[in-house]
Amino acid sequence: MNYIKEADVVVIGGGVVGCAILRELSKYKLRSILVEKEPDLACGTTKANSAIIHAGFDAPKGSKKALTNVRGNRLYHELQDQLNLDIKWLGSMVVATTAEEMATLEELLSRGIANGVKGLEIIDKEAVLSKEPNLTPNVQGALWAPTAGICWPFGAALAFARCAVQNGAEVLTDCAVEQVLVEDGKVVGVATSQGAIQARYVINAAGLYGDAIAASAGDTSIHIHPRKGEYILFDKTAAASLVQGIVFPTPTKTSKGCLVCATTHGNVFIGPNAQDMADKEDLATTTEGMNAIIASAKKLVPTLPLGASITEFSGLRAVSDNGDFIIEASSVHGLIHATGMQSPGLSSAPAIAEEVLEILRELDDTLVLKHDFKAVLPRHKAFSAMTRAEQEAAIAANPLYGRVICRCETVTEGEIVEVIHETCGAKTVDGVKRRTRAGMGRCQGGFCGPRVTQIIARELNIPVTAVRKEGAASQMFYDKEAAGGKD
Ligand SMILES: Cc1cc2nc3c(=O)[nH]c(=O)nc-3n(C[C@H](O)[C@H](O)[C@H](O)COP(=O)(O)OP(=O)(O)OC[C@H]3O[C@@H](n4cnc5c(N)ncnc54)[C@H](O)[C@@H]3O)c2cc1C
């Protein structure tokens, strides 16, 4: 077998879980490589979810979900400063509007206390409405969880990966794993779309495709099915008339319910619903789904400003057979699964990474910690967040900062060029959008999309027709002449 690279550990999947694992691995004297099939990190479930760092009262005591959620929440509090994570610790509310729902709040409170969640309390109607004046007057009370927060999931995944790279790990994008290679019952590497990579250990963090990765190694113990959640996003003008923080209804059996929630960037969203699917790629939003989440959200906030909605999107939860996370060593020696992460997988990611390392240490007692692990990432300030004096200094140092490309979000050419060339830099229009917010405003890229495409083509030295929006076949422009005039 010709190997294009040699590693000790290959992590499959660049979602928040895989990236957090890569960072944890980079604390050790190991050659670690993360491979992601998409052109960018966090293009799977990590890109479309509610972005909440849950407190940890939902999952049953002793489940992997509960244990890693509570620990993960604490770790995010510690990591926020080191990794410049965009997190706002707003606290969350589960709102009850009937006596039956008030009884459910008591159950959630006891479960949360058993799980070790700090600061939980049931607050009365007056306290709820003083925090969230736009909620329905039918509210009777709420479970208040002060340790919950909202984050920017893409930013978290990117920060984990960049910290890992800063400590010697490698990230390969546009690199799909076709098979986990096994000899004599032991992992020896992975076959990828870019060639084979040798490795003693493989971590399966492939999200929805965790079962396919396991099966390629001969381990058929895992099954993952997709469960869709749809959302509506409102522009920033709607925020004042909706909610200030995180507002859940009382949960259903399959989901935490359709919430009304702020984002770290000052928008507000409603959603998600929960629909079991057959297709792992079906991210379509539907009229039925939109109607369902609007009806559900209106029960919490009766005056939804629907005219201020700017986009709809959906995400797919990776649901395992028993509903809990799969974090375990495979029957194939050297393969470790970290998959089946529905909510609260984002909240749990740093704790899942610790657990994976524990399993790896059980398989290999020769792992050695580095003494020079660099935990802190360099800080960046968005042009739009700079003072006038800082903006003038930035433009004086680099005139590209004086050219605004995205008018809705005031993103400059200087920032776009920077994120294309930074560690784990952007290769696609959506990659630029997620790193800078260019295209995330009211016009959703209508003005800046073509300019961003042009800048990517120039900086990566590729034709404009090769620039992708996001995934493999998502070119922004099509060269009709080169194709002989055919559409
Ligand atoms: C509707 C919804 C709401 C949610 N809300 C929350 C919330 O508020 N809080 C919370 O904590 N959690 C929430 N979650 C859950 C959270 O989003 C996930 O648990 C988390 O993002 C999972 O991350 P992951 O890395 O396991 O998976 P993913 O992000 O899907 O990453 C897996 C990666 O593997 C890659 N991959 C797959 N196959 C291959 C291959 N063959 N070769 C190479 N790469 C491959 C994929 O491209 C993908 O990038 C929500 C999920 C959904 C869908």
Side-chain angles (χ1 to χ4, degrees), residues 367-426:
L367 299 198
V368 180
L369 268 172
K370 288 176 190 160
H371 295 297
D372 55 353
F373 175 73
K374 299 178 202 74
V376 178
L377 278 181
R379 285 184 184 275
H380 288 282
K381 197 171 189 181
F383 185 83
S384 60
M386 290 177 186
T387 62
R388 188 52 95 187
E390 287 170 334
Q391 289 180 337
E392 277 167 15
I395 295 166
N398 179 356
L400 291 183
Y401 280 87
R403 191 160 173 240
V404 174
I405 301 294
C406 170
R407 299 184 221 170
C408 301
E409 298 288 327
T410 321
V411 181
T412 66
E413 183 165 2
E415 291 167 286
I416 294 172
V417 170
E418 203 172 297
V419 299
I420 292 169
H421 296 295
E422 72 180 3
T423 305
C424 303

Side-chain angles (χ1 to χ4, degrees), residues 18-334:
C19 293
I21 293 169
L22 191 71
R23 177 179 169 277
E24 208 57 36
L25 285 166
S26 75
K27 293 179 178 171
Y28 291 81
K29 292 185 178 169
L30 288 167
R31 293 164 305 167
S32 305
I33 301 178
L34 182 147
V35 290
E36 167 54 53
K37 68 180 167 67
E38 300 297 332
D40 204 350
L41 297 168
C43 287
T45 304
T46 300
K47 86 169 174 190
N49 54 62
S50 306
I52 296 167
I53 300 183
H54 292 287
F57 53 78
D58 276 293
K61 184 171 186 254
S63 61
K64 288 195 165 72
K65 279 182 174 177
L67 292 167
T68 55
N69 185 167
V70 176
R71 170 93 184 129
N73 181 298
R74 282 185 205 142
L75 288 172
Y76 274 112
H77 277 83
E78 288 169 26
L79 291 170
Q80 178 171 18
D81 197 42
Q82 291 178 2
L83 301 178
N84 314 322
L85 299 177
D86 192 0
I87 304 177
K88 293 191 170 72
W89 299 108
L90 301 175
S92 70
M93 268 190 216
V94 181
V95 172
T97 53
T98 63
E100 206 185 341
E101 288 181 353
M102 284 301 286
T104 308
L105 296 192
E106 294 290 350
E107 284 170 31
L108 291 176
L109 174 65
S110 324
R111 201 188 300 164
I113 293 168
N115 287 351
V117 181
K118 303 271 184 267
L120 286 176
E121 61 174 316
I122 292 181
I123 56 175
D124 63 15
K125 176 174 184 162
E126 209 183 6
V128 175
L129 291 176
S130 76
K131 285 183 192 291
E132 295 288 358
N134 297 315
L135 291 195
T136 168
N138 298 333
V139 60
Q140 294 203 4
L143 176 64
W144 171 242
T147 55
I150 52 174
C151 74
W152 174 225
F154 174 81
L158 185 67
F160 287 136
R162 290 177 64 207
C163 180
V165 172
Q166 169 172 287
N167 287 287
E170 200 177 336
V171 171
L172 297 178
T173 49
D174 279 315
C175 186
V177 170
E178 289 153 358
Q179 195 184 354
V180 177
L181 302 170
V182 179
E183 278 174 21
D184 301 327
K186 280 186 181 175
V187 160
V188 293
V190 290
T192 80
S193 52
Q194 294 186 16
I197 303 174
Q198 193 172 32
R200 292 184 293 136
Y201 302 103
V202 170
I203 319 281
N204 171 14
L208 286 161
Y209 294 94
D211 48 1
I213 293 294
S216 81
D219 174 351
T220 52
S221 64
I222 292 179
H223 310 102
I224 309 277
H225 84 261
R227 184 174 292 153
K228 193 194 277 184
E230 294 166 87
Y231 294 92
I232 299 175
L233 183 74
F234 295 94
D235 80 3
K236 293 176 183 174
T237 59
S241 58
L242 278 168
V243 293
Q244 310 308 309
I246 309 164
V247 181
F248 294 98
T250 40
T252 66
K253 281 203 172 68
T254 50
S255 96
K256 297 181 186 72
C258 173
L259 58 147
V260 184
C261 185
T263 74
T264 53
H265 296 122
N267 301 74
V268 175
F269 69 82
I270 60 172
N273 53 355
Q275 247 188 307
D276 286 313
M277 309 293 293
D279 182 353
K280 291 184 178 178
E281 297 293 321
D282 183 352
L283 284 166
T285 51
T286 60
T287 309
E288 303 82 68
M290 295 298 109
N291 287 339
I293 61 174
I294 290 167
S296 185
K298 271 190 171 167
K299 286 187 195 152
L300 290 177
V301 181
T303 53
L304 280 185
L306 289 174
S309 72
I310 50 174
T311 191
E312 300 152 8
F313 62 94
S314 74
L316 291 167
R317 304 166 181 91
V319 183
S320 68
D321 282 345
N322 70 2
D324 204 358
F325 296 160
I326 303 169
I327 313 169
E328 62 192 23
S330 161
S331 52
V332 176
H333 186 270

Side-chain angles (χ1 to χ4, degrees), residues 17 21 68 325 327 338 341 344-346 348-357:
V17 170
I21 293 169
T68 55
F325 296 160
I327 313 169
M341 310 297 174
L346 167 66
S348 301
I352 294 168
E354 285 183 342
E355 205 166 302
V356 166
L357 259 290

